[in-house]
Amino acid sequence: DDTLTLDLGGFTYTGTIFPSFYVGFSPGATADLTVMNGTLTGAPVYIGWNAGSTGTLSVLGSSTTWTTSGSAFSVGLFGNGTLLIADGAGVSCDVMFVAANENSVGNANVSGLGSTLVVADALLVGRGGDGSLSINAAGVVSVASGATIGAFAGSQGDLNVTSAGSE
């Protein structure tokens, strides 16, 4: 089990430094990553990459953004993945999968005033596995091309929007 807090020190880091970003890669492994105080751009993100892996990514604070342009952001690709966007942080991507494949589990939570998830194309919650998206405490999710909850037979998708100001 690995836990890491990454304080970016107000800097911006691009996908040329890391071509892909994995949180919870190996079967049987558990990884927790907290990112704050800066900007990450470019690289696709995979949380819970392999079956049997578990990953948690927390993007925290109003000065924190993570953008994956031209690539997917996957929460529970084949394993178990959790994404927390809170305290005014923002995540932007072209496509987001929450529980992308059969037997995967994905949970995404956008919580707190100023916290945003912006998806330029499609959001699929429970594309192949068991996925949930929770929006609360005035968090905001914006999807340009549409969201699908429970995309395929055998998948499960849940959308929970709670508290005033959440959208």
Side-chain angles (χ1 to χ4, degrees), residues 12-132:
T12 297
Y13 296 91
T14 65
T16 57
I17 294 171
F18 47 90
S20 294
F21 208 95
Y22 302 92
V23 181
F25 182 82
S26 300
T30 299
D32 295 299
L33 173 63
T34 299
V35 177
M36 58 188 187
N37 193 26
T39 301
L40 292 171
T41 62
V45 175
Y46 304 103
I47 306 169
W49 169 261
N50 280 306
S53 67
T54 300
T56 300
L57 172 61
S58 300
V59 183
L60 305 177
S62 61
S63 62
T64 309
T65 58
W66 194 318
T67 302
T68 61
S69 180
S71 57
F73 201 115
S74 296
V75 182
L77 186 65
F78 293 99
N80 297 333
T82 299
L83 171 65
L84 171 63
I85 305 166
D87 303 328
V91 169
S92 300
C93 57
D94 286 342
V95 176
M96 178 172 278
F97 300 109
V98 180
N101 295 295
E102 186 176 4
N103 298 319
S104 64
V105 176
N107 298 291
N109 187 341
V110 182
S111 181
L113 184 64
S115 299
T116 59
L117 170 60
V118 177
V119 182
D121 193 357
L123 170 64
L124 294 95
V125 179
R127 178 184 176 270
D130 184 0
S132 68

